[in-house]
Amino acid sequence: MSTLEIKDLHVTVDAEKDTGDGTGHKEILKGVTLTVKSGETHAIMGPNGSGKSTLAYSVAGHPKYTITGGSVTLDGNDVLAMTVDERARAGLFLAMQYPVEVPGVSVSNFLRTAKTAIDGEAPKLRTWVKDVNATLDALNLDATFGQRSVNEGFSGGEKKRHEIAQMELLDPGMAILDETDSGLDIDALKIVSEGVNRFRAKEDKAVLLITHYTRILRYIQPDFVHVFVNGRIADEGGPELAEELEASGYDKYVKAAAV
Amino acid sequence: MGLDVSSHLHPVGSFDLADHPVPNGREEVWRFTPLKRLRGLHDEAVLTGTDFDVKVEAPEGVVAHSVPSAGSERGASGFVPTDRVSARVWQSAADVFTVEVPAEAELSDPVFVTFTGHGTAEAVAGQLLVKVGAHATATLVLRFQGSATFADNVEIVLGDGARLTYVTLQDWADDAVHHSTQHALVGRDASLKHVAVTFGGDVVRHDVTATYAGPGGDIEMLGLYFADAGQHIEHRLFVDHNAPKTRSHVTYKGALQGQGAHTVWIGNVLIRKEAEGIETYEENRNLVLTDGCQADSVPNLEIETGEIEGAGHASATGRFDDEQLFYLRSRGIEEKEARRLVVHGFFNDLIRRIAVPELEEQLAATVEAELSKNVLRDASSLGSSATMVKED
């Protein structure tokens, strides 16, 4: 069992433009409180620029963001005090919206290195190769995929499927999926969703699904839905909230936040 | 006196030393080079040192031997010295080490020539002539190691349809100075893969020029270098497209680490009026691993005809990419290991393209050894800001 607790989280980013207050920092998250437990799937929905991705990257430890207040704990341990790689080894995983190219590093080498780092020992060769092939195959990635350089020359769909493959193979307790659905056609969306559902079906897995659209929620049924506007959670509810958003959009929240 | 350098891309050469005044460092071709550290190779240093040995391993059918300069075929590539160092080598060197691969020979193994220097006090002049006969296929690996003050002229002549992989591996001791002038003449439909790998030495300056004896020739130049604190590594390349339907592809990649590490890459390409239908691309990438390094990168393309297939160049010098490191670390990989992966990845495709199996393992191991000097020792002291300079 694991529990991710985010309490009153405030985050700034180094601003590219003058922020007018002389600090050069722009506050993106303005007090976010959220608890995600094993066995639960949470969807965070919100318009562009609402801070959804900032939440994901802050929890993962991206150096661009500065935590100015609040706390993040995983089973009581201070996540914010951990390095990026320590967070991953503690059981956090972030499927990125824009996975980064690493030229010259093959997918298979990368996966094996990551698995070794997470487990603290090299995986058993025979079962590992079998696992990798089965995982890639289930995501409709062909056998030569392992020889390609990480994310280099991948199509948008391949990048997202590769993220899901990593999630399945590294097997974290807590997966944050940052707009994994964006830019996918319907077939790719189904394949990716099946991967997420396979992961959810395992014991004690938690998923935090960040999305702009309700489309993916037809394939991945969330237990909780949070509406994210202007750096805060503006509304919360069950799956029915997603249906409401599908019908009415984010307008009423955006207007309320602007007042 | 002095040579006609109206365009420094194609100066008129001369065998007469009087035509080559001692450079003062302000000349275009010398402006990056620390002349004071050349131990007089460009000036008056006596070039008759003999404190070295040469080992040759050649498969059957290859003729590899020393020939007195007077009776040699030197100049067969059309080489004429365009700077004082190479003119002095031409005057001073008594012999030409000649490697000949007969026409239509298919060598089973590479030819290895290993030069080991035993001291820097007396400067050495060397000459090498490589001749690969028509339609022959060969690989020649030249290895430099030990301590030396060394200047050499290398000529490479490829007959029609010949294929040569030429590797020059500078694995010198820290106190070596090596100035090399190399000229290749590529026959009709012949292909030359010229590979320069430079890890060692205090000052290494290679000036490589290549031209074609007929249409259809193909030149690939690959370079891999790793400069440590205080090291100066300079590669000056010039491909002279003087024949139609010829192709050239240049890729040089380097990493720099430590105070005063300096690399220079000059990539010159001239497309002459008669060189219709040619294709050329050159690129240089540098990875700056620590503060205090300098990477100079100057691509230069001179085009006299528009009737070509393509011409381009790219040059980029950057630090570790924060986003790459974040991505790898977010998968649990520790920072040092992430940096190691990125640097190996940076060089990997290049090592693969060199495609000399006998060297592959050694090159990967040498990259690893270089990394352990710095990147893997103390990752936390490194700068983390990302800078990227792009030209096109």
Side-chain angles (χ1 to χ4, degrees):
Chain A
M1 287 290 289
S2 54
T3 303
L4 179 72
E5 270 193 288
I6 301 168
K7 278 189 193 157
D8 196 28
L9 190 66
H10 289 255
V11 172
T12 63
V13 65
D14 293 335
E16 281 158 24
K17 286 182 290 195
D18 186 13
T19 49
D21 59 1
T23 64
H25 302 295
K26 189 173 178 217
E27 187 167 54
I28 308 280
L29 298 188
K30 302 169 180 174
V32 177
T33 298
L34 179 68
T35 301
V36 182
K37 291 180 182 156
S38 295
E40 297 175 353
T41 296
H42 292 243
I44 290 187
M45 307 194 57
N48 288 330
S50 59
K52 306 185 299 285
S53 289
T54 299
L55 178 65
Y57 280 87
S58 303
V59 171
H62 195 286
K64 192 168 111 183
Y65 301 102
T66 308
I67 314 291
T68 53
S71 66
V72 179
T73 58
L74 185 64
D75 302 325
N77 298 313
D78 184 0
V79 170
L80 300 179
M82 299 178 194
T83 63
V84 175
D85 41 294
E86 281 169 352
R87 296 177 198 208
R89 293 197 295 276
L92 286 171
F93 179 87
L94 171 62
M96 298 192 198
Q97 186 181 1
Y98 302 110
V100 183
E101 292 182 3
V102 191
V105 177
S106 71
V107 167
S108 59
N109 183 18
F110 165 61
L111 291 174
R112 196 177 53 246
T113 306
K115 185 68 175 172
T116 304
I118 297 275
D119 289 1
E121 60 177 354
K124 289 206 174 57
L125 197 61
R126 230 178 357 163
T127 50
W128 173 246
V129 171
K130 233 166 66 187
D131 289 350
V132 170
N133 289 340
T135 305
L136 294 179
D137 191 49
L139 291 162
N140 214 3
L141 294 166
D142 71 47
T144 61
F145 193 76
Q147 273 100 62
R148 295 172 66 183
S149 288
V150 172
N151 293 317
E152 197 179 42
F154 287 15
S155 69
E158 283 174 333
K159 284 183 183 168
K160 298 302 175 69
R161 282 181 279 157
H162 179 224
E163 294 293 287
I164 299 303
Q166 292 170 51
M167 179 185 72
E168 293 196 70
L169 288 163
L170 299 180
D171 201 29
M174 182 85 46
I176 303 173
L177 311 181
D178 185 23
E179 307 218 14
T180 298
D181 53 330
S182 68
L184 294 183
D185 63 31
I186 193 71
D187 292 331
L189 182 66
K190 280 182 188 167
I191 291 170
V192 161
S193 300
E194 283 166 17
V196 176
N197 286 330
R198 276 195 299 276
F199 175 75
R200 293 205 301 159
K202 296 197 226 179
E203 214 162 310
D204 290 340
K205 299 298 179 191
V207 172
L208 185 58
L209 189 71
I210 293 172
T211 179
H212 183 79
Y213 305 103
T214 52
R215 194 172 62 137
I216 193 171
L217 303 182
R218 284 179 222 144
Y219 304 99
I220 303 170
Q221 183 74 218
D223 304 303
F224 305 94
V225 174
H226 311 267
V227 182
F228 218 76
V229 179
N230 194 24
R232 287 189 186 91
I233 291 174
D235 200 1
E236 296 178 289
E240 73 286 348
L241 185 53
E243 283 156 36
E244 224 180 286
L245 286 168
E246 167 113 38
S248 57
Y250 299 114
D251 277 2
K252 75 170 181 184
Y253 298 109
V254 174
K255 277 182 195 140
V259 175
Chain B
M1 292 294 279
L3 296 172
D4 169 19
V5 286
S6 56
S7 166
H8 73 270
L9 286 192
H10 40 101
V12 179
S14 165
F15 294 104
D16 186 353
L17 196 55
D19 288 331
H20 302 281
V22 179
N24 57 34
R26 288 190 294 274
E27 300 82 358
E28 174 58 30
V29 298
W30 289 106
R31 67 187 176 104
F32 293 107
T33 314
L35 290 174
K36 281 185 187 145
R37 287 158 60 189
L38 276 185
R39 301 193 187 127
L41 289 177
H42 63 296
D43 193 348
E44 295 292 337
V46 178
L47 296 174
T48 52
T50 53
D51 205 6
F52 64 91
D53 65 72
V54 176
K55 203 175 98 192
V56 182
E57 301 159 70
E60 197 111 341
V62 177
V63 179
H65 59 159
S66 265
V67 179
S69 293
S72 76
E73 292 183 71
R74 68 175 184 170
S77 68
F79 169 70
V80 182
T82 57
D83 68 65
R84 186 171 170 87
V85 183
S86 57
R88 295 188 70 233
V89 169
W90 186 276
Q91 274 209 337
S92 307
D95 302 307
V96 181
F97 193 82
T98 304
V99 177
E100 279 182 77
V101 179
E104 295 185 27
E106 302 262 348
L107 298 191
S108 51
D109 297 301
V111 180
F112 287 100
V113 178
T114 304
F115 178 105
T116 307
H118 300 298
T120 61
E122 296 178 337
V124 177
Q127 295 183 114
L128 173 67
L129 171 64
V130 181
K131 287 182 69 181
V132 181
H135 307 292
T137 301
T139 296
L140 171 63
V141 178
L142 206 57
R143 286 190 286 221
F144 294 100
Q145 57 193 39
S147 299
T149 302
F150 186 53
D152 64 352
N153 292 345
V154 176
E155 293 184 66
I156 301 167
V157 182
L158 266 61
D160 291 353
R163 307 169 64 84
L164 173 68
T165 296
Y166 176 91
V167 181
T168 174
L169 175 59
Q170 286 66 243
D171 200 7
W172 291 111
D174 289 344
D175 59 354
V177 169
H178 185 190
H179 186 286
S180 184
T181 306
Q182 303 167 28
H183 182 68
L185 179 65
V186 175
R188 181 187 180 105
D189 298 324
S191 67
L192 169 66
K193 185 193 285 188
H194 180 285
V195 182
V197 179
T198 307
F199 291 111
D202 176 51
V203 177
V204 174
R205 185 188 197 263
H206 281 204
D207 195 330
V208 182
T209 57
T211 190
Y212 302 86
D218 189 335
I219 295 170
E220 185 175 21
M221 289 183 177
L222 302 175
L224 192 168
Y225 49 91
F226 214 124
D228 295 335
Q231 245 186 321
H232 177 92
I233 296 178
E234 179 168 351
H235 294 283
R236 314 181 64 89
L237 312 171
F238 173 44
V239 179
D240 185 347
H241 280 278
N242 60 339
K245 298 278 182 194
T246 50
R247 181 186 166 274
S248 67
H249 201 125
V250 177
T251 305
Y252 266 62
K253 284 186 165 191
L256 298 86
Q257 60 181 1
Q259 195 63 37
H262 187 198
T263 65
V264 180
W265 178 85
I266 311 290
N268 290 325
V269 173
L270 169 64
I271 303 168
R272 294 188 191 258
K273 199 165 175 12
E274 59 272 30
E276 295 190 353
I278 69 101
E279 196 188 329
T280 177
Y281 190 77
E282 43 171 359
E283 81 176 295
N284 174 228
R285 309 218 173 264
N286 294 295
L287 190 54
V288 176
L289 304 179
T290 71
D291 291 333
C293 308
Q294 188 182 337
D296 288 298
S297 180
V298 187
N300 188 11
L301 194 54
E302 209 172 296
I303 305 179
E304 294 175 355
T305 174
E307 301 298 314
I308 59 172
E309 287 291 315
H313 59 214
S315 164
T317 297
R319 285 181 172 273
F320 270 118
D321 182 338
D322 276 356
E323 296 299 329
Q324 281 180 352
L325 291 178
F326 174 72
Y327 187 75
L328 295 170
R329 295 182 67 199
S330 77
R331 272 47 176 155
I333 299 168
E334 283 183 39
E335 184 169 4
K336 283 185 182 184
E337 180 67 11
R339 288 176 184 274
R340 201 181 74 83
L341 274 179
V342 169
V343 175
H344 274 287
F346 178 72
F347 285 122
N348 262 350
D349 65 319
L350 192 66
I351 292 176
R352 267 201 300 270
R353 277 167 62 190
I354 292 171
V356 179
E358 290 85 351
L359 282 181
E360 227 163 273
E361 210 170 296
Q362 188 194 344
L363 292 180
T366 310
V367 169
E368 184 69 27
E370 290 286 340
L371 282 175
S372 66
K373 288 182 191 166
N374 216 311
V375 173
L376 300 184
R377 202 185 57 207
D378 187 11
S380 61
S381 73
L382 301 175
S384 62
S385 65
T387 52
M388 205 69 182
V389 187
K390 257 201 152 102
E391 296 172 43
D392 218 334

